[in-house]
Amino acid sequence: MNRNRSEQTQTEGVRNSGSAIPGGILTGVLAVLMLAIDIAFVRSAMIPVKFLAPVVILLLLLVVFLGFLTHRTEKRGRFITGTVLSVLVAAVMVYGIMAMNKVTSTLNNITTVSSEVSYVGVYVLTDDTAEVLNDLEEDTFGILSELDRTSTDGAIEQLNEELDTEITTAEYDGLTDLVDALYDQECRAILLNNAYLDVIAEIEGYEDIEDQIREVTGLSVEEELEETEEYVETELSDTVFTVYISGVDSRNGLVAKTRSDVNILATVNTETHQILLVSTPRDYYVPLSISNGVKDKLTHAGIYGISVCVDTMEMLYDIDVDYYFRVSFDGFEDIVDALGGVTVYSEYAFTSAHNSYTFVEGYNDVDGAQALDFARERYAFATGDRQRGKNQMALIQAIIDKAISPDILVKYSSILTAVEENFETTLPYDLIAGLVNNQLSTGADWDIITYSVNGSDGNSSTYSLSKPNYVMIPDEETVETAKELMQAVLSGEVISQPEE
């Protein structure tokens, strides 16, 4: 009898031990997921400690509670309830881990800027019989003697390799000289950075250039960006910095060297929570950093690379530009749509020339396509590009207002996709994470001040174009005002909206 009782006790022990195994597995899985999500949050550096600590404690208590519910399978009702809740909690934690990793991955991708690409076309006259590159092997290629030689030389190297020969070239001093040589058949083909096509089309008599020439082949010339002192990681304690905002209308993607039609300096002070946006018209007549004092339109700086844009802005405003970010016009549209639209203030009622969208004086709810037209329109205004710059800053303000609102939490996935595909910046991850952390912690309202420098209409030759063309002569008084405003924000002074 004693032996039977002992065997019964052992059997019950085994049965009880076995009933705890499923619950133990569930609890172990939840504990691992809890650890993983905690690590993801900490590594992101975006979640304030005052939010993170309660979340960790709550998750720990939840895992313990669910472990209690699933501890014994023989308590069927409690075990099933605990299992269902455990699966739901596990799914939520997996989603949270994936979401946080997506955020960090996207930010790391857009903050890793390593190269730029110039797209150089081999162009012939429209009615030329050449169909492929080999048809031009024995002919002379016209090239620019000095302008954009990095791109030209890279293209020549590729052509020589592809044709397995040394091509014959003829050099010309200016863009119109190069195009005229093709028109006059001094050379059968020309090598030209296609960013110049829009530049040449600004000249009277060359407006139809894209109808007169045809691309036989295109070449991508990649240039590694040098890491300069300006683009180094910033400590989270840094509270003031200046960012160059560039908007490009590129037919070849975001990394292409192309004209910059949006040129805004954002001076940010995270202690006073002020952002000063200064807009500079695209046709501003200023020396480029590579032109040895020869003046050009500011927009043309982008043809020679983002670093030339940054350096030129530094020269104009006598300020250190710490970072830049660049967005394409198409990408800009995607970002606004991903945000679910924005509400932008317009100083005037107008109808856009591009898509005939109508805007009222006052606040307008706009989607991506409407926002893009709002930012690009200049023909509807007596002040042209000056008003366009103001509208661009108003739209940036609208995007910032939407981006710091709770609404974006439910749209984070589409926003990240739009940003990753259409946006690049040298703002370091640590600084972005610190800004997000600070915003979540304080919930502070940001005061955005805008200012546009002014100028007068002119007609002069430029570094990129030897023939006279439209330029805007800077109003030095407004440039000086912009400098003073920037320095005031950097020094911690709280400024008010200046009159223009």
Side-chain angles (χ1 to χ4, degrees), residues 116-118 193-196 198 246-261 298-306 309 326:
E116 283 184 303
V117 177
S118 297
N193 185 331
N194 68 6
Y196 279 122
D198 292 329
S246 173
V248 298
D249 188 10
S250 172
R251 63 188 84 190
N252 291 305
L254 189 59
V255 298
K257 291 182 179 180
T258 189
R259 298 183 305 170
S260 180
D261 284 346
L298 176 60
T299 185
H300 292 169
I303 297 173
Y304 309 105
I306 188 67
C309 293
R326 181 163 51 178

Side-chain angles (χ1 to χ4, degrees), residues 427-468:
L427 278 164
Y429 178 92
D430 286 349
L431 179 56
I432 297 175
L435 291 172
V436 173
N437 188 302
N438 181 265
Q439 185 62 35
L440 290 174
S441 180
T442 64
D445 292 327
W446 286 80
D447 182 21
I448 301 176
I449 306 297
T450 62
Y451 185 75
S452 298
V453 295
N454 210 337
S456 56
D457 298 335
N459 196 54
S460 298
S461 60
T462 65
Y463 173 72
S464 299
L465 281 172
S466 56
K467 291 190 176 182

Side-chain angles (χ1 to χ4, degrees), residues 112-175:
T112 306
V113 184
S114 60
S115 64
E116 283 184 303
V117 177
S118 297
Y119 290 90
V120 180
V122 177
Y123 295 98
V124 297
L125 294 175
T126 303
D127 58 1
D128 193 290
T129 58
E131 295 295 336
V132 295
L133 183 59
N134 285 335
D135 294 336
L136 304 169
E137 184 176 358
E138 303 298 328
D139 294 290
T140 297
F141 292 76
I143 63 173
L144 291 168
S145 59
E146 294 184 10
L147 286 177
D148 198 30
R149 278 311 297 253
T150 300
S151 301
T152 301
D153 291 342
I156 291 174
E157 184 178 344
Q158 290 186 34
L159 289 177
N160 288 340
E161 182 176 343
E162 186 169 343
L163 295 173
D164 194 24
T165 186
E166 294 285 331
I167 65 171
T168 302
T169 61
E171 296 187 355
Y172 297 90
D173 291 336
L175 286 172

